[in-house]
Amino acid sequence: MAATLTTGGGQPRNRTLILLYIMTDQSPLAALPLQTQASEKPVWTLEGPPAAPQLVLKGIWSVQDGGMAPFPSDGLAQAHGPGVLTFNIQDVTGWDSALIAFLWDVKQAASHAGLHFDPKGLPAPAQRLLALLPEAPAPGKTAPRKPPPLLERVGNNTLNILNETGTVTELALETARGACKTLSGKSGMRFKDLASDLWNAGPSALLIVGVVNFLVGAILAFVGLVELRRFAAEIYVANLVGIACAREISAIMTAIVMAGRTGGAYAARISTMLGNEEIDALQVFGIPVSSYILLPSILSLGLMMPLLYIYGTIIAIFGGFVVAVSMMDISPLGYLNTTFEGVSLQEFMFGFVKSFFFASFIALAACRVGLQAGRSAADVGIAATRAVVIGIVGVIAMDAVFAVMANALGF
């Protein structure tokens, strides 16, 4: 059995090259040719029985002489294992990394044919270079997967939303049970943590909530005053600011501020504890995470948000008062009387109830995002960002639901 392949002068393929300069025991690699003749092209021949083939190499195996031609993957198809593939390189007059690349291809073909690759007939430097190469080529890039059909994506997203809704609902039920246990003195919550969270979610947020609501009330009064002046109805700007802030604006703006300020802080804190393995330690000791960590956060925000809403509404009405009194010919007492006559207690009750639900959603979503975060430092920022985005979008969506319900009930 014999097969001969003479490599042509085609363009060499982009292959992994091996360093050419290898120090041996006596001198640098001596296998490189001193003089290259154009007639000594690299040639290989497969001889011997199928179970013990021998690969005979001749010529100069260098890159410039076309020695980079790969060994075909089916070059040993006629041979079969188990057996040993040996080499005869007596007629090789020069070589460089092209021979190493060729031998590596031979090694892969021998592996597919079930033959044992025996490098003993090769020069010692070539054996050392082959030992540096991996046993098999690196896996190539897989073909990009086609995106799933639209219905499949919609179904998967719907299923994920339902799963998350169920998880958040279960978290809310656990929090409610923990709150009931707190009243009976059997909860694992520390009142020190509750007091700290109450301070952070309440008095510490008064400044930012007041500034935002004051500016919103002032802007609303200014816009309303400009439009109502066309109809000589400037006095009704008090009703506009009072009803809008008490019913919608103050509740939404306070919730958005708390989602960015407190919701993000909850998610960052829990994800940091997860990364520091503090959550794992609590679970190992049998301490319920829902009572020890989540319950103080959710209770504090649920108790403070309605109070912040009332505070923000008063500040927003005061902002409208400042703009209206400074820009129109009306007494401060007249503006306040118009506000009290136009804004009923039901408007405050409606906003108060919405604020409680907004606070519960923000706290639950932030805690869920924190528990679902990764354990690296980058995941802390990602969790905080996700908590803020989910909180703001959820608050606006819930407000739309409340508006539809109020309209259906004639409220």
Side-chain angles (χ1 to χ4, degrees), residues 324-344:
V325 170
S326 61
M327 294 185 61
M328 57 186 279
D329 188 13
I330 185 175
S331 64
L333 186 60
Y335 182 91
L336 294 178
N337 288 334
T338 305
T339 300
F340 291 143
E341 293 176 359
V343 183
S344 63

Side-chain angles (χ1 to χ4, degrees), residues 3 111 172 204 281 309 333 399 405:
S111 176
S204 296
Y309 153 75
L333 186 60
D399 186 72
M405 292 174 57

Side-chain angles (χ1 to χ4, degrees), residues 11 19 53 58 98 110 118 144 216 222 229 265 292 297 302 315 323 333 339 380 389 391 401:
Q11 293 293 332
L19 294 176
K58 299 179 181 180
D118 185 8
V216 169
F222 178 78
R229 183 173 291 172
Y292 191 80
S297 303
I315 296 297
V323 173
L333 186 60
T339 300
V380 176
V389 172
V401 173

Side-chain angles (χ1 to χ4, degrees), residues 167-260:
T167 303
V168 173
T169 303
E170 183 180 359
L171 190 61
L173 293 177
E174 291 180 1
T175 304
R177 286 195 294 266
C180 295
K181 292 180 179 180
T182 301
L183 297 177
S184 61
K186 298 179 180 179
S187 174
M189 180 186 67
R190 297 192 308 175
F191 286 94
K192 177 182 178 181
D193 297 333
L194 179 61
S196 176
D197 288 338
L198 285 173
W199 174 263
N200 293 328
S204 296
L206 288 176
L207 179 60
I208 182 64
V209 171
V211 170
V212 171
N213 281 279
F214 178 85
L215 294 176
V216 169
I219 293 171
L220 187 61
F222 178 78
V223 175
L225 188 62
V226 171
E227 294 298 324
L228 292 175
R229 183 173 291 172
R230 301 179 182 180
F231 308 98
E234 297 95 331
I235 189 59
Y236 291 105
V237 72
N239 300 64
L240 172 66
V241 174
I243 294 175
C245 292
R247 189 181 181 92
E248 296 289 344
I249 303 246
S250 292
I252 294 178
M253 295 308 300
T254 302
I256 290 176
V257 170
M258 297 307 291

Side-chain angles (χ1 to χ4, degrees), residues 10-17 63 66-73 101 104-105:
Q11 293 293 332
R13 299 196 313 175
N14 185 13
R15 305 176 59 81
T16 303
L17 297 181
V63 175
M68 283 294 292
F71 185 81
S73 59
W104 192 72
D105 288 337

